[in-house]
């Protein structure tokens, strides 16, 4: 219980606060300058700046609410704390409502993912890895903004793991089912992609592309666009599952403590609802962050679609071509451009670009060569969003006097790199991370996101069990008190 | 910096998890509190802001009292928790 707690801040003078205010202003100024300078060069950079400023909002909100999906699962199983899982469900509800409105207005940029077991498998590997890293993919970005070098190691390792995983062949090719190889070979693909070589190419062309995708609104056969968006996609696919999940969390993890605190031995329905509401509002910072994230993520789709219409494009590759920058485009002259909040693919592109500078060409695969391209970081609008997630978080951390450059110990660095590699592999098998494969999907009526969440929860549970065992073993060895 | 968990005096313990990131501080805190008897106090030193939110919620849920929350200029948080 925190009632009556004494809070003090020792030695943190006004000078420090002023210095941090200046530093925060410098970060905001740098982003503003980049937006203004690039707009002056070419008005089409507005498209890049839109990604950038939404990323900034995400980063600031994530840091303010300590909003991290890794902790949603991990803290629930490890220490019985539901605040983050609650915050995410709030964000899911709001994002789904704004998305429905955006969809009805014809401004949605969302495309449903195929439905298949791959989501569960990818989610499980991702969920297992993220327990060890201390943050999910977005969580690691915002913690990098707080000065955590271990979070930066997570971002780097998951980026390079993805870039290399989508191009790896050799031993992994032997694990590819013959049906995938045959299906991939039957598709008319450019010869330079060699789609029957490389595990990931055959996974995409021989398995993923053969799966069906559907939104809840379409599956229910609802007639009007508004009913499909608000009833099918939002209510059935997002809001009702979120309410059920919140009820399960309340009963399993919150109710007992709440009843004890309120000395309520035999509560009626009204008291139960009051307890449920108390759980939802327990962490105001998390709830506020969830609210801002949910609304901003929906609005981003509207803004990006509006800009696509303004510039007469459907993908940023067309914009880059018109701007005379064709380096790094895919064979289809496209680049990765989801038009909504997404993390991991752009980091993979960043890593692939670095590897390309070192002489490693990764364009002979579907992921980079045909779908996403390998643009330079300056010509990668979605990567601008990732950088500004770090920037937005840094500004909030500086203003809250929480920024601290923190070097990891060897132990933490090993956890960060190992977990980051698992997250990278999991996100490529699951076709995204907790944002792209869960948050952005379930809120747009795509049931595949719940499959990813199921895998992520199972993987997170396994990770917590392993981590508990590890910590108990370590404490028993290293402390005089033991455990 | 390695984690330290030690008895400071009768009924008083200290857990130092500075340098650790999530989920280490909250997991070590949970394990340390399990070791304490009711009424004993734990002085917790950590510097990972995200862990603070989880530790605070965990204490709230378990009925443990956070008696003091202090932060020094080096961003180290020093919390005193009394076991329920």
């Amino acid at each position: 219980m925190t009632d009556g707690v004494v809070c003090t801040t020792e030695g943190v003078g006004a000078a420090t606060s002023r210095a941090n205010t200046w530093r925060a202003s410098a970060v905001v100024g740098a982003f503003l300058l980049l937006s203004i300078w690039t707009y002056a060069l070419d008005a089409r950079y507005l498209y890049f700046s839109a990604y950038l400023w939404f990323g900034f909002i995400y980063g600031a909100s994530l840091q303010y609410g300590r909003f991290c999906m890794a902790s949603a699962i991990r803290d629930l199983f490890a220490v019985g704390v539901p605040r983050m899982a609650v915050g995410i469900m709030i964000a899911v509800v709001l994002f789904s409502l704004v998305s429905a409105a955006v969809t009805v207005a014809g401004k949605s940029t969302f495309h449903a993912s195929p439905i298949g077991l791959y989501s569960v498998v990818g989610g499980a590997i991702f969920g297992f890895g993220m327990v060890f890293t201390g943050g999910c993919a977005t969580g690691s970005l915002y913690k990098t903004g707080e000065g955590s070098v271990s979070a930066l190691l997570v971002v780097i390792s998951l980026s390079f793991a993805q870039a290399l995983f989508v191009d790896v062949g050799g031993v992994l090719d032997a694990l590819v089912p013959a049906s995938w190889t045959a299906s991939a070979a039957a598709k008319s693909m450019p010869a330079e992609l060699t789609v029957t070589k490389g595990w990931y190419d055959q996974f995409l062309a021989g398995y993923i592309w053969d799966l069906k995708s559907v939104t809840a609104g379409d599956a229910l056969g609802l007639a009007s666009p508004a009913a499909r968006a608000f009833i099918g996609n939002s209510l059935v696919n997002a809001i009702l599952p979120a309410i059920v999940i919140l009820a399960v969390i309340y009963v399993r993890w919150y109710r007992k403590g709440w009843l004890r605190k309120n000395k309520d031995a035999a509560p009626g329905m009204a008291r139960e609802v009051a307890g449920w509401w108390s759980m939802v509002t327990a962490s105001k910072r998390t709830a506020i962050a969830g609210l801002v994230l949910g609304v901003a993520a929906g609005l981003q789709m509207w803004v990006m679609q509006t800009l696509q219409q303004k510039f007469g494009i459907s993908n940023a590759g067309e914009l880059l071509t018109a701007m005379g920058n064709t380096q790094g485009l895919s064979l289809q002259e496209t680049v990765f451009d989801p038009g909504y909040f997404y993390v991991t693919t752009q980091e993979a592109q960043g890593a692939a670009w670095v590897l390309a500078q070192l002489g490693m060409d990764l364009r002979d695969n579907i992921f980079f060569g045909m779908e996403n391209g390998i643009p330079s970081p300056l010509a990668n609008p979605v990567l601008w969003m990732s950088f500004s997630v770090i920037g937005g978080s840094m500004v909030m951390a500086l203003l809250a006097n929480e920024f601290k450059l923190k070097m990891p110990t060897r132990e933490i660095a090993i956890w960060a790199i190992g977990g980051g590699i698992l997250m990278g592999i999991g996100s490529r098998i699951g076709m995204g991370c907790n944002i792209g494969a869960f948050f952005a999907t379930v809120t747009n009526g795509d049931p595949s996101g719940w499959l990813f969440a199921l895998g992520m929860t199972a993987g997170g549970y396994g990770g917590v069990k392993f981590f508990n065992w590890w910590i108990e073993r370590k404490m028993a060895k290293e402390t005089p008190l033991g455990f | 910096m390695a984690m330290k968990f030690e008895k400071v005096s009768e009924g008083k313990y200290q857990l130092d998890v500075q340098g650790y990131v999530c989920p280490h501080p909250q997991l070590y805190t949970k394990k340390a509190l399990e070791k304490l008897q009711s009424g004993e106090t734990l002085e917790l030193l950590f510097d990972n802001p995200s862990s603070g939110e989880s530790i605070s919620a965990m204490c709230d849920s378990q009925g443990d009292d956070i008696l003091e929350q202090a932060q020094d200029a080096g961003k180290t948080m020093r919390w005193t928790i009394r076991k329920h």
Side-chain angles (χ1 to χ4, degrees), chain A residues 69 113 126 162 169 178 182 247 310 330 353 372 378 391 396 444:
Chain A
M69 294 208 188
S113 298
F126 185 87
Q162 288 182 87
K310 173 183 166 64
S330 73
W353 183 82
N372 300 308
L378 282 176
M396 288 303 284
N444 280 279

Side-chain angles (χ1 to χ4, degrees), chain B residues 24-62:
Chain B
H24 299 259
Q26 49 264 52
L27 273 172
Y28 280 125
T29 304
K30 182 170 187 276
K31 299 286 176 197
L33 285 169
E34 284 170 3
K35 187 78 179 167
L36 269 59
Q37 302 295 315
S38 179
E40 292 182 330
T41 60
L42 177 73
E43 186 182 49
L44 170 66
L45 304 176
F46 67 105
D47 55 5
N48 185 51
S50 312
S51 294
E53 293 285 320
S54 297
I55 292 166
S56 175
M58 180 178 74
C59 291
D60 196 43
S61 161
Q62 294 180 171

Side-chain angles (χ1 to χ4, degrees), chain A residues 215-448:
Chain A
T215 60
D218 290 336
L220 290 172
L222 298 167
S224 77
R228 281 200 297 275
F230 281 101
I231 295 175
N233 294 352
S234 180
L235 181 66
V236 174
N237 199 67
I239 296 175
L240 290 178
I243 290 171
V244 170
I245 289 169
L246 286 173
V248 170
I249 291 172
Y250 170 71
V251 171
R252 174 68 182 81
W253 283 283
Y254 192 82
R255 184 173 180 268
K256 192 175 159 191
W258 190 78
L259 293 179
R260 186 186 60 232
K261 210 163 41 176
N262 289 278
K263 299 179 175 59
D264 205 341
M269 183 51 76
R271 297 293 298 153
E272 295 286 9
V273 173
W276 185 85
W277 183 246
S278 153
M279 178 187 75
V280 171
T281 55
S283 175
K284 290 195 171 48
R285 290 174 77 108
T286 311
I288 290 168
L291 192 147
V292 174
L293 279 169
V295 173
L299 283 178
Q300 186 184 8
M301 292 200 298
W302 182 81
V303 169
M304 299 316 297
Q305 175 76 331
T306 301
L307 287 172
Q308 285 179 1
Q309 287 170 350
K310 173 183 166 64
F311 294 123
I313 60 165
S314 59
N315 179 275
E318 298 165 66
L319 205 63
L320 287 165
T321 303
M323 291 161 76
N325 188 347
T326 55
Q327 278 195 333
L329 300 185
S330 73
L331 290 172
Q332 301 180 102
E333 299 188 337
T334 56
V335 290
F336 180 61
D337 180 18
Y340 51 82
F341 190 16
Y342 198 103
V343 179
T344 61
T345 296
Q346 64 266 39
E347 281 82 11
Q349 289 174 299
W353 183 82
V354 170
L355 292 171
Q357 306 315 299
L358 299 172
M360 185 183 278
D361 189 353
L362 297 177
R363 286 174 301 176
D364 63 341
N365 58 66
I366 293 172
F367 183 77
F368 289 125
M370 189 169 150
E371 291 186 336
N372 300 308
I374 308 178
S376 75
L378 282 176
N380 188 338
V382 197
L383 198 53
W384 283 37
M385 180 165 66
S386 295
F387 282 123
S388 60
V389 168
I390 296 173
S393 163
M394 188 178 286
V395 167
M396 288 303 284
L398 285 165
L399 293 176
N401 204 34
E402 289 176 352
F403 181 87
K404 181 181 180 183
L405 189 63
K406 210 160 48 176
M407 298 303 291
T409 60
R410 192 173 66 171
E411 178 196 350
I412 296 290
I414 291 169
W415 284 118
I417 293 169
I421 290 170
L422 286 172
M423 286 164 66
I425 293 170
S427 64
R428 286 292 38 96
I429 292 175
M431 309 296 285
C433 67
N434 49 293
I435 296 296
F438 166 68
F439 187 51
T441 55
V442 298
T443 48
N444 280 279
D446 182 351
S448 75

